Amino acid sequence: MMLPILLLVAVCQLISPGSTEVVTSFEDSCPQFFFRGTPPSIGLGPPRPAQICQRYKNQYRFATLYDRDNRIPVFSAYIYNPGQAKRPNTWRIEPQLLDLTLPPEMETEGSLLQKGGVMQEALEGSQAVLLDYKNLTDFNRGHLNPNGHQPDRDAKSSTFTLTNIVPQYIKLNGGAWNYYEQSTMARKTEGCKETFAVVGAVPGGSFIAKGRVNKPSHVWSAACCVIDNNRLRSWAIIARNDENAVQTLTLGELEEKLAELYNQSHISLFDSDCPRE
């Protein structure tokens, strides 16, 4: 169960923006992944959040707010730009969740552990690892930013970080959620010059991996589409993480639903210019 606190940038207590993946401010370091450069305002934030500008091959690819205690992302934000490159299969972790002096690039567990001074126990204390997702029943690794929404091999590879993953009900991940990602998004974005997406997870009351990784109660997705300088549109969905069904909502309805789930008075996922109806 998450504790209700305001999500303030100051609580991150991280290092200067722009030089690393773990940053003090999305607005200063990787605002390009948010509509009008405005990150979501989610009043119920984790006690120890990490703002990550997801960096792969020396380039920021998307942004993630990570919950260090539940070891799952709160949300990932990205620009929808699907391409046909082959699906990668190499999983990575975030070194700077372990130690801010480590390199800013995501890398595999094996390559990180081969470096002097990095211990498996310390790595597991900082974030989810591959072992946490072994031998699951009814759940598997669910991307928030799916590789299918990225344009090329490198961009797709960047989504295979465990900081972008939650335990997702396997029938939902391969069923109604997958249909939304692959078919509904393609249809909805017709005519959009640019589409900003934010996809998140609401922490639940149970865990996998002997209490290490939270199992979300709900997963949700919202999009803000820029048609031209004067026209915008939005849409959203939410799903319980124990059944194969998604509920279609307006952006405003999703924000109201999330406020209810987080027991908050107001939640904003995009800049106020994005239509709520």
Side-chain angles (χ1 to χ4, degrees), residues 18-20 36 38 44 51 58 66 103 111 141 161 167 187 198 204 207 219 224 226 229 233 243 265 269 274:
S19 61
T20 66
R36 300 275 199 267
T38 304
L44 187 66
Q51 296 179 81
N58 204 33
Y66 191 71
S111 66
R141 292 175 296 226
T161 166
R187 186 179 71 253
V198 180
F207 291 77
V219 288
C224 189
V226 180
N229 289 339
R233 67 171 179 259
E243 58 186 41
S265 59
L269 298 179
C274 190

Side-chain angles (χ1 to χ4, degrees), residues 35-77:
F35 175 63
R36 300 275 199 267
T38 304
S41 171
I42 298 180
L44 187 66
R48 296 194 306 137
Q51 296 179 81
I52 305 172
C53 293
Q54 299 280 11
R55 181 168 166 173
Y56 181 66
K57 291 194 174 180
N58 204 33
Q59 183 176 331
Y60 287 154
R61 308 289 178 165
F62 62 103
T64 299
L65 181 67
Y66 191 71
D67 181 344
R68 297 171 185 264
D69 295 316
N70 281 317
R71 297 187 177 90
I72 58 172
V74 178
F75 65 75
S76 285

Side-chain angles (χ1 to χ4, degrees), residues 78-232:
Y78 60 94
I79 296 173
Y80 175 79
N81 185 18
Q84 299 303 314
K86 185 179 178 182
R87 176 186 172 96
N89 58 12
T90 300
W91 289 95
R92 296 176 171 84
I93 48 83
E94 169 49 60
Q96 292 195 340
L97 287 176
L98 172 62
D99 186 338
L100 290 170
T101 66
L102 289 171
E105 290 262 340
M106 61 178 72
E107 59 182 296
T108 65
E109 287 180 41
S111 66
L112 181 62
L113 291 170
Q114 287 173 3
K115 297 177 178 176
V118 177
M119 305 297 291
Q120 180 73 38
E121 183 178 354
L123 175 60
E124 292 177 3
S126 70
Q127 61 199 280
V129 296
L130 278 172
L131 186 62
D132 294 325
Y133 285 89
K134 297 292 186 185
N135 303 316
L136 294 183
T137 301
D138 296 328
F139 286 80
N140 62 5
R141 292 175 296 226
H143 285 70
L144 295 191
N145 175 7
N147 88 94
H149 288 184
Q150 296 301 315
D152 54 39
R153 179 76 176 182
D154 287 347
K156 291 178 184 293
S157 294
S158 74
T159 69
F160 280 75
T161 166
L162 292 174
T163 56
N164 181 47
I165 297 298
V166 299
Q168 190 168 16
Y169 181 50
I170 193 167
K171 291 183 179 178
L172 174 64
N173 196 11
W177 191 263
N178 181 68
Y179 183 83
Y180 171 79
E181 288 180 337
Q182 304 305 320
S183 300
T184 306
M185 278 291 287
R187 186 179 71 253
K188 290 273 196 180
T189 54
E190 290 179 3
C192 300
K193 286 201 312 183
E194 193 168 42
T195 301
F196 295 86
V198 180
V199 184
V202 180
S206 60
F207 291 77
I208 64 167
K210 298 180 180 179
R212 281 181 40 81
V213 179
N214 186 272
K215 187 187 298 181
S217 63
H218 297 76
V219 288
W220 52 268
S221 179
C224 189
C225 150
V226 180
I227 302 169
D228 57 36
N229 289 339
N230 299 313
R231 291 185 297 163
L232 303 164

